[in-house]
Amino acid sequence: MTLFFRLILIAVSVLNFFYMARKLRKSHVEGRDTIFWMLFSVLLIVLSLFPGIANTLAGALGVYSPENVVFLLIIFALLIKLFFLSIKHSQLEFKVQVLAEEHAILKKKLEDALPAPGGKDDSKKDGEDHAA
Amino acid sequence: MGKEDDGRLLIIIPAYNEEASIGGVLCELRRECPQADVLVVNDGSADGTLRVCREAGCPVLDLPFNLGLSGAFQAGLRYAAQNGYSYALQFDADGQHPADAIPAMLRAARERHVGVVVASRYLEGQKGWSMREIGSRMIGFCVWLTTGVRLHDPTSGMRLYTAPVLRRLAGNMNSSPEPHTLACLLNDGVTVAETPAVMRERKAGKSYLNALSSIRYMFQTCLSILLVNRFQ
């Protein structure tokens, strides 16, 4: 690996690390969701600081250049991340769907229970009706 | 038998921007099936669908935003399950489905003790070789390949679900009212019967499915049946 390539890796990793840290401080992202990106940055930094790792792996795997091993590791890491994101996305979508369904059913129950149809400000009047 | 006959039927009509046709559909249902309860699921329509249903005095589930057919129908199933209905019928809002076919479907469910009853275009009518019918044949072939059951009209959207099936679909993530769900149910030992029905053509304009999206639908459905269902 050339020095330039290693410097780019380190620069991107450090930027990524501190960007995540800043998002975390501002509470823009949940802690457990940043773990992956922190570890990802650390992995890239370790690979750039110790080129021997990529060299050895390239030799063992029969890969032409150590850079390609770095790319391979990045692709694998991103694939795993994407896979779990896809699962999470499915589950979130389903949860939103269930919420919308339950919301509609509750709304109907509320409308059926209230005497006047079409009343929009039902949340406050509801309590008064029960008190009266 | 007496107890089973007490089972109440809920007709679920998912509706997305159907103000032009929904009124006629509700009238027809009231005339042909006065004993059944009707529930429209307004799937975030931008037109007057909700108003037309309210004016007709029909119960409505009003979804806060558009979920698509799958979510809209499931909202109806959820309502049916929570309110102890024995049967739920999936019915189109665009006037394609004949309400007078419903009593026969209900009878079939009661007398033949099946899980699902499908109103089929091709039990009495002849299946031709139009694009749509070729698609239907291919989906039917995929269903037969994976389940060993020959469905005459797998793409029919007019289906009656009995209590165990409707309760199962009401809480399931993969329960879109599509042929691959039918294949999935068949694989799990749910029995399906077909009764004859004459479907009408959509009155105004052409179907929303153009040639390209029909092919995509075909492809997705066949792949779902052949690949995805194996693991469910």
Side-chain angles (χ1 to χ4, degrees), chain A residues 38-106:
Chain A
M38 300 273 187
L39 289 179
F40 190 65
S41 303
V42 170
L43 171 80
L44 288 191
I45 291 173
V46 168
L47 283 175
S48 346
L49 289 181
F50 307 101
I53 300 172
N55 278 328
T56 314
L57 277 174
L61 294 172
V63 176
Y64 182 67
S65 74
E67 284 88 347
N68 285 347
V69 169
V70 175
F71 296 148
L72 186 73
L73 290 174
I74 292 175
I75 289 171
F76 279 168
L78 291 182
L79 265 184
I80 293 167
K81 183 68 181 164
L82 187 63
F83 177 73
F84 284 107
L85 265 183
S86 175
I87 291 175
K88 199 165 188 175
H89 172 256
S90 276
Q91 289 172 342
L92 275 178
E93 207 172 50
F94 182 61
K95 283 178 187 169
V96 170
Q97 180 182 322
V98 171
L99 272 180
E101 292 172 8
E102 290 287 353
H103 169 98
I105 292 173
L106 277 177

Side-chain angles (χ1 to χ4, degrees), chain B residues 7 27 31 33 52 56 68 83 106 114 180 192-194 204-205 209 220 222:
Chain B
C27 270
R31 196 174 61 237
C33 313
V52 173
N83 290 280
L106 207 51
V114 289
H180 58 87
V192 175
E194 289 184 282
L209 289 179
Q220 280 178 348
C222 288

Side-chain angles (χ1 to χ4, degrees), chain B residues 187-203:
Chain B
N187 273 331
D188 285 355
V190 173
T191 44
V192 175
E194 289 184 282
T195 57
V198 181
M199 306 281 179
R200 294 180 287 251
E201 286 303 312
R202 171 180 287 275
K203 277 155 198 160

Side-chain angles (χ1 to χ4, degrees), chain B residues 100-111:
Chain B
D100 54 12
I102 295 173
M105 296 175 78
L106 207 51
R107 261 200 313 280
R110 281 172 180 156
E111 287 164 10

Side-chain angles (χ1 to χ4, degrees), chain A residues 105-116, chain B residues 59-60 79:
Chain A
I105 292 173
L106 277 177
K107 193 159 77 178
K108 181 176 183 309
K109 269 189 194 156
L110 198 63
E111 285 165 357
D112 291 346
L114 288 172
Chain B
V60 183
Y79 180 88

